[in-house]
Amino acid sequence: MLKQRTLKSITRAVGVGIHSGQKVELTLRPAPPDTGIVFRRVDLCPPVDIPVGVMSVSDTRMATTISPGGDPGAPKVQTIEHLLSACAGLGLDNLVIDINADEVPVLDGSAAAFVFLLQSAGIVMQDAPKRFLKVMKPVEVRQGEGKKLMWARLEPHHGYTLSFEIEFDNPAVAATGSQFVFDMGSGKYKKEIARARTFGMTADIDLMRSRGLTLGGSMDNAIVVDDYKVLNADGLRYDDEFVKHKILDAIGDMQVAGMPLLAAYTSFKGGHALNNKLLRALLADESAYEVVSFDDDRAAPKGFAELAPAW
Ligand SMILES: [Zn+2]
């Protein structure tokens, strides 16, 4: 049987939220089978549980934010996508995450620190079948037209692949690889995807700061690009770090479904909003998906039964 996974021990992280600039503490705890991933706002009295789910998503501007029942007026946790991406990359199903503020710390702007943290805590198999959201027919969402067109699509696939294409009107970004395809069964999440950092253009950053966003952002936790070049002294971690970060985000945004997908995901210029719209479109059509598990590991797609290799 392909089993669910949780952490072996409790682990902690401290950092700042990229948008709020606030100091945040996280405690990641093992959880019983079928718990899913649950954020617990321990700074509130009584604490408020926010289970990760497609309908919990309450805001997708700049980052993915969840609230109980998706109510924008309720307590929230924002910027969950990099931590969820790390959980997906390691195949974690069940976790309770105590958080003492409304935003997950950005750490280095990638998922690498979360992967390190989760692997250091250790990962254990649980005696319950791991569930997958199997896509049964193509689902697509689109937005805009002409140069503003963007779309995201899910298609049936025995495995889980993500393909992304970016198109930025910026010479420094355009000079890097604009397309990448990643296979979640390859066992290369940590090596190929996890280290890709979030990025911002100097012009946008000034605008966002004036609106009280990205207050915690700096070259320590993001790639900063002006019109011509990457400003970070050490340059890029991957030649195609921008498009790889978009795949990292998509993996996190899709993990909001509460279980890994069995699908081929493709996106052209999509983002958090379109990713959530795509999952909502999938779940709105009962004939478009099935929840499946594997009694025999050998029936699962290649690489799915193995634990992700250590660093
Ligand atoms: Zn991101």
Side-chain angles (χ1 to χ4, degrees):
M1 175 175 75
L2 193 50
K3 293 178 171 180
Q4 295 183 23
R5 297 173 189 178
T6 190
L7 287 181
K8 195 184 282 177
S9 60
I10 292 175
T11 184
R12 291 189 172 82
V14 181
V16 296
I18 194 166
H19 294 300
S20 62
Q22 271 182 300
K23 187 181 164 197
V24 193
E25 279 178 46
L26 285 182
T27 303
L28 301 103
R29 303 175 183 279
D34 302 324
T35 304
I37 298 174
V38 178
F39 285 89
R40 179 169 292 158
R41 283 282 303 274
V42 293
D43 55 317
L44 303 175
C45 191
V48 174
D49 279 2
I50 313 177
V52 169
V54 175
M55 300 306 169
S56 306
V57 173
S58 51
D59 194 351
T60 50
R61 293 168 297 174
M62 308 303 304
T64 294
T65 299
I66 55 169
S67 310
D71 173 6
K76 65 182 179 180
V77 178
Q78 52 178 337
T79 325
I80 61 169
E81 60 271 16
H82 301 167
L83 174 52
L84 284 190
S85 185
C87 291
L90 297 177
L92 278 166
D93 299 285
N94 305 304
L95 204 58
V96 172
I97 303 166
D98 292 353
I99 184 166
N100 71 347
D102 68 3
E103 187 176 13
V104 174
V106 64
L107 305 180
D108 73 343
S110 77
F114 291 122
V115 170
F116 177 76
L117 202 68
L118 295 166
Q119 281 205 313
S120 303
I123 293 165
V124 288
M125 302 287 186
Q126 298 174 287
D127 210 11
K130 187 179 178 84
R131 290 173 305 192
F132 295 85
L133 191 59
K134 181 178 179 177
V135 172
M136 303 301 289
K137 66 183 199 192
V139 176
E140 185 180 285
V141 289
R142 286 174 167 259
Q143 195 182 304
E145 277 174 37
K147 273 201 82 87
K148 291 198 166 158
L149 173 70
M150 50 179 89
W151 52 261
R153 184 188 299 150
L154 289 170
E155 290 164 286
H157 176 61
H158 185 63
Y160 184 15
T161 59
L162 298 105
S163 169
F164 211 103
E165 186 174 355
I166 53 172
E167 193 180 76
F168 280 93
D169 208 5
N170 176 295
V173 179
T176 70
S178 61
Q179 201 184 7
F180 194 75
V181 184
F182 182 67
D183 180 352
M184 287 290 275
S186 66
K188 292 182 177 167
Y189 173 81
K190 285 178 306 227
K191 193 160 174 269
E192 296 265 4
I193 302 294
R195 297 177 64 243
R197 290 162 296 173
T198 192
F199 53 95
M201 319 291 167
T202 43
D204 296 342
I205 292 169
D206 293 342
L207 185 69
M208 288 190 288
R209 288 248 163 101
S210 71
R211 291 180 186 164
L213 292 165
T214 68
L215 297 176
S218 75
M219 277 193 243
D220 292 332
N221 53 38
I223 310 168
V224 181
V225 189
D226 71 5
D227 285 347
Y228 304 100
K229 60 184 185 303
V230 171
L231 300 180
N232 304 59
D234 293 336
L236 296 177
R237 292 176 173 179
Y238 304 108
D239 291 342
D240 46 4
E241 190 169 354
F242 302 100
V243 69
K244 282 185 171 170
H245 187 78
K246 297 296 284 188
I247 288 187
L248 184 158
D249 276 344
I251 292 169
D253 284 345
M254 292 297 113
Q255 190 62 21
V256 162
M259 58 188 97
L261 299 182
L262 286 177
Y265 164 98
T266 317
S267 181
F268 175 65
K269 295 170 69 174
H272 304 306
L274 216 53
N275 285 337
N276 191 245
K277 224 170 136 185
L278 182 63
L279 282 182
R280 285 178 191 245
L282 176 73
L283 297 187
D285 180 353
E286 278 183 22
S287 66
Y289 67 93
E290 270 178 15
V291 175
V292 300
S293 53
F294 296 98
D295 291 337
D296 182 349
D297 284 8
R298 288 168 301 182
K302 193 172 170 291
F304 275 43
E306 291 85 42
L307 280 174
W311 288 95

